[in-house]
Amino acid sequence: WGQYRRGLVRLGDEGLTPRSLRAALAHFDEATRADPGFGLAHAHHAVLTSIGFNVGLLPDGVAVRHATIARAETALELDPASAEVLGFVGCAFVESGLRALGMRSLRHAVVLDPS
C-alpha cells in the first residue's frame, strides 16, 4: 500500500511527465512485487502505461501493449468486484485499442458504484 501511495503522490506532485510516470510505474511495480494480489496497483499500472504510450511519454510497441493488457487482465482476475479496478482496467483496455472490452468494464464499474 505504501509503494502504491508513493506512486500516486509522485504523479500528484509533478503531474504527468516522463519522469513522474516512470517513477510512479516503478512504485506500482514494487507494490505488486510485495503483494502480487494487489489488483488496484496492477490496474493503475495498466492504465498509466497505456496512456503513457498513447501520449508519447513511454515507448510504444507490441510487447508493451501485450504486457499492459496482461496486467489489466490480472487486475480483473484479482479484484473483479472493485469499481476502481474496473474503471482503471476499462480505461486501459480502451487506450490499448480494445474498446468493446473496455466499455464493458467501465459499464460494470458504474453499476457497482454509480458515483
Side-chain angles (χ1 to χ4, degrees), residues 31-43 74-80 85:
T32 58
R33 270 193 295 278
D35 180 1
F38 190 6
L40 184 58
H42 285 288
T74 296
L76 267 183
E77 290 170 12
L78 292 170
D79 206 351
V85 166

Side-chain angles (χ1 to χ4, degrees), residues 17-43:
T17 67
R19 187 176 119 179
S20 68
L21 181 58
R22 284 190 305 274
L25 292 174
H27 285 295
F28 297 162
D29 279 334
E30 185 57 36
T32 58
R33 270 193 295 278
D35 180 1
F38 190 6
L40 184 58
H42 285 288

Side-chain angles (χ1 to χ4, degrees), residues 8-108:
L8 295 178
V9 167
R10 192 68 183 262
L11 290 170
D13 283 350
E14 297 179 30
L16 192 58
T17 67
R19 187 176 119 179
S20 68
L21 181 58
R22 284 190 305 274
L25 292 174
H27 285 295
F28 297 162
D29 279 334
E30 185 57 36
T32 58
R33 270 193 295 278
D35 180 1
F38 190 6
L40 184 58
H42 285 288
H44 211 144
H45 192 291
V47 73
L48 283 178
T49 302
S50 60
I51 290 169
F53 59 66
N54 280 341
V55 299
L57 296 176
L58 294 173
D60 191 4
V62 172
V64 173
R65 289 192 186 257
H66 285 297
T68 299
I69 291 165
R71 192 176 282 258
E73 290 171 338
T74 296
L76 267 183
E77 290 170 12
L78 292 170
D79 206 351
S82 166
E84 194 170 13
V85 166
L86 286 163
F88 286 144
V89 165
C91 290
F93 285 149
V94 169
E95 292 287 333
S96 297
L98 301 172
R99 187 176 189 287
L101 185 59
M103 292 307 296
R104 190 171 32 244
S105 292
L106 291 168
R107 285 187 194 100
H108 189 75

